[in-house]
Amino acid sequence: MSKLLKCGGILSARRLVSNNPIKRHLSSEAAKGASVKPPIQIFGLEGRYAHALYSAAVKNKKEGAVEKDLDKFSSLLKGDKQLHEFVNDPTLQRKSKLEKLNTLLVQQKFDKMTMNFFGVLAENNRLNRVKNIATAFSQLMCASRGEIECTVISAQKLDDNNTKALESALKGFLKPTEVLKLNLKVDSALLGGLVVELKDKYIDMSTATKIRKISNILKQAI
């Protein structure tokens, strides 16, 4: 396993989950008015945990630190197969799992609010959902800043001039209060052209799709 998880825990699981503000925000009492209203509603288990974390983080002015920590942890999960397997292993005892994970969080200098969040997940056997909860939290943060995510897939990497021209065109679809968050991806299977996902719009201008449409028309003609 990653060297980050081979040492013993520095803080105990008990200290992490005691007097935990995130745990309080997950209670029914918090839902009645103690929580900060999220900018958007996300449903399901991931939404519930993300809302509780967002509310606690905003109240403690830690939302920026928590967002940075969760992004970092998601990157660690993606790049470390053993860490991914460790987090998702249901056979490990919760206390042992949290203490080893806490070693990683301390080494990576995560904020105490984020560590409390992991404490709640471990206590409730939800560490295997951390990736989806982190994604939900990111959506809440983007919405709080008025950011609108747009994914553009191209057959080849766009140069700076094309990227700027694309950003200018896409901003025309946004409200004055909204901020474009452009996510560029490359997929050579498109052959050429672009695929754009913005809000509820999906625009496929790829060469591959055009060829497929022409092929279907020719088949029907035969």
Side-chain angles (χ1 to χ4, degrees), residues 156-194:
Q156 298 179 342
K157 184 178 179 180
L158 300 177
D159 59 29
D160 291 342
N161 290 333
N162 284 327
T163 300
K164 290 180 181 179
L166 180 62
E167 287 180 340
S168 179
L170 292 172
K171 286 178 181 179
F173 293 93
L174 304 182
K175 298 177 182 178
T177 56
E178 294 176 335
V179 179
L180 179 68
K181 184 178 180 181
L182 189 59
N183 180 23
L184 298 175
K185 296 182 179 181
V186 175
D187 183 358
S188 59
L190 297 182
L191 301 181
L194 301 171

Side-chain angles (χ1 to χ4, degrees), residues 55-190:
S55 181
V58 170
K59 281 194 169 186
N60 289 274
K61 298 181 180 180
K62 293 285 188 177
E63 63 270 31
V66 172
E67 181 182 27
K68 182 179 178 180
D69 287 346
L70 292 183
D71 286 345
K72 188 174 185 179
F73 191 81
S74 295
S75 296
L76 290 173
L77 275 180
K78 186 177 180 180
D80 191 329
K81 182 180 179 181
Q82 290 181 313
L83 175 60
H84 184 273
E85 292 175 349
F86 170 80
V87 169
N88 289 279
D89 189 346
T91 65
L92 296 176
Q93 292 185 350
R94 285 180 290 182
K95 183 178 179 180
S96 174
K97 196 172 190 177
L98 178 58
E99 287 179 344
K100 290 182 179 179
L101 182 60
N102 183 51
T103 300
L104 168 63
L105 303 183
V106 171
Q107 289 178 352
Q108 295 294 320
K109 298 181 179 180
F110 278 23
D111 190 89
K112 185 178 179 181
M113 176 69 66
T114 311
M115 296 176 69
N116 278 331
F117 166 66
F118 279 95
V120 171
L121 292 183
E123 185 181 25
N124 296 334
N125 279 328
R126 301 297 189 187
L127 278 174
N128 62 330
R129 308 293 284 271
V130 64
K131 183 179 178 180
N132 291 338
I133 295 172
T135 298
F137 184 84
S138 178
Q139 292 173 344
L140 291 174
M141 290 299 296
C142 286
S144 71
R145 294 188 290 260
E147 295 176 353
I148 302 298
E149 186 169 356
C150 175
T151 299
V152 176
I153 307 173
S154 58
Q156 298 179 342
K157 184 178 179 180
L158 300 177
D159 59 29
D160 291 342
N161 290 333
N162 284 327
T163 300
K164 290 180 181 179
L166 180 62
E167 287 180 340
S168 179
L170 292 172
K171 286 178 181 179
F173 293 93
L174 304 182
K175 298 177 182 178
T177 56
E178 294 176 335
V179 179
L180 179 68
K181 184 178 180 181
L182 189 59
N183 180 23
L184 298 175
K185 296 182 179 181
V186 175
D187 183 358
S188 59
L190 297 182

